Amino acid sequence: MHVPPNVFSSFVMLLVTIGPIETAVVFSSLTAGIHRGERAHLAVRSTAIAGLVLLLFALGGNFTLGLLHISMPAFRVAGGILLFLQALSLTFSGPGLSSISEGERHDAERPGDIAVFPLAFPLIAGPGALSAVVLLTGRTEGWIEETGVLAMIAACLALTYAAMRAAERLVIWLGATGADVVRRISGVLLAGLATQFVFDGLGSAPFIR
C-alpha cells in the first residue's frame, strides 16, 4: 500500500510541535507527589482535551481563515515563520513555543484543574501544534491525505499519553543531556519543514505568479 509522503512529514512536524518528551518532563514536575491513579487520570483528560482542540483546528481552521479573508499562501508564510521560531528555540535549547513559562508553572501549582491548563494548552496543543494542523490539512489533496493527517494527530497524541504515563522513567533514563539532544534534533527537523511551508506560501502567492 502506497502511503503519501505528506503523511510522513505530517507525523514528524506534529511529533516535534507537540513534543511528547518535553510534555512528559513538565508533567513529571507538575504531578510530583500526586497519587499514581490521579496522574493517570490527568494524562487521559489532558490528552483528550488537547486532541479535541487540535481536531477543531484541523477541521475548521481553513473555514475560519476564509471568514477572516486570510489566504492559505499568507497563512503558510506566517505559520512557517512561527514554526521556524519554535525550531530556533528548540535547536538552541530554549523552551520552545509550546512550553510553559515560570509564571505559568507557578499558576499551575495552585489548586485547580491542570489537565486544561497548562497540560492540554499550551503544553500539548500549543501555538506551534495548532498552526501545524491548519497548515497540514490545508495542503492535503483528497480525503485519503486528510485522513492520514488526522491519523498522525491521533498517533502523536497516543505517544504523548504514553510518555506522560512513563514520565518518571523517561526523566531518569534520558537525563538532562538526553532530553537536550532530542530537543536539538527536533529543532533541526522542524526548521526544514517550516522553511518549506514558507517556500510553498511564497510560490503560490498571487504577486509572484
Side-chain angles (χ1 to χ4, degrees), residues 55-129:
L55 182 63
L56 289 175
F57 269 73
L59 298 179
N62 290 281
F63 176 73
T64 304
L65 291 178
L67 291 178
L68 297 174
H69 301 288
I70 300 174
S71 67
M72 181 52 65
F75 189 78
R76 282 174 180 164
V77 174
I81 293 173
L82 178 66
L83 293 174
F84 190 79
L85 291 175
Q86 181 172 1
L88 289 178
S89 297
L90 291 171
T91 303
F92 295 103
S93 197
L97 298 178
S98 299
S99 61
I100 59 176
S101 64
E102 286 301 320
E104 291 171 333
R105 187 186 296 272
H106 179 71
D107 290 339
E109 293 172 351
R110 298 175 180 175
D113 189 2
I114 64 172
V116 178
F117 172 85
L119 291 178
F121 183 86
L123 198 56
I124 302 175

Side-chain angles (χ1 to χ4, degrees), residues 23 35 146 187 190:
T23 300
H35 188 270
E146 185 172 356
L190 182 59

Side-chain angles (χ1 to χ4, degrees), residues 2-201:
H2 175 67
V3 180
N6 282 348
V7 174
F8 291 111
S9 63
S10 299
F11 176 75
V12 174
M13 175 169 286
L14 290 169
L15 189 68
V16 171
T17 52
I18 293 175
I21 293 179
E22 182 181 31
T23 300
V25 172
V26 178
F27 178 81
S28 177
S29 64
L30 291 179
T31 58
I34 297 180
H35 188 270
R36 184 176 297 273
E38 180 63 21
R39 288 164 62 96
H41 183 62
L42 284 171
V44 171
R45 293 190 64 245
S46 60
T47 305
I49 294 170
L52 178 61
V53 174
L54 290 171
L55 182 63
L56 289 175
F57 269 73
L59 298 179
N62 290 281
F63 176 73
T64 304
L65 291 178
L67 291 178
L68 297 174
H69 301 288
I70 300 174
S71 67
M72 181 52 65
F75 189 78
R76 282 174 180 164
V77 174
I81 293 173
L82 178 66
L83 293 174
F84 190 79
L85 291 175
Q86 181 172 1
L88 289 178
S89 297
L90 291 171
T91 303
F92 295 103
S93 197
L97 298 178
S98 299
S99 61
I100 59 176
S101 64
E102 286 301 320
E104 291 171 333
R105 187 186 296 272
H106 179 71
D107 290 339
E109 293 172 351
R110 298 175 180 175
D113 189 2
I114 64 172
V116 178
F117 172 85
L119 291 178
F121 183 86
L123 198 56
I124 302 175
L130 295 176
S131 300
V133 295
V134 177
L135 288 170
L136 292 172
T137 53
R139 75 175 184 184
T140 55
E141 298 178 359
W143 67 270
I144 295 180
E145 288 191 6
E146 185 172 356
T147 303
V149 171
L150 295 178
M152 293 304 100
I153 294 175
C156 290
L157 288 174
L159 289 174
T160 303
Y161 169 75
M164 286 192 289
R165 291 301 307 272
E168 293 178 343
R169 293 189 294 272
L170 274 176
V171 170
I172 295 173
W173 181 63
L174 285 175
T177 302
D180 184 58
V181 170
V182 172
R183 187 181 299 115
R184 289 176 186 271
I185 294 175
S186 300
V188 172
L189 294 175
L190 182 59
L193 293 169
T195 304
Q196 186 61 55
F197 272 113
V198 173
F199 286 168
D200 292 343

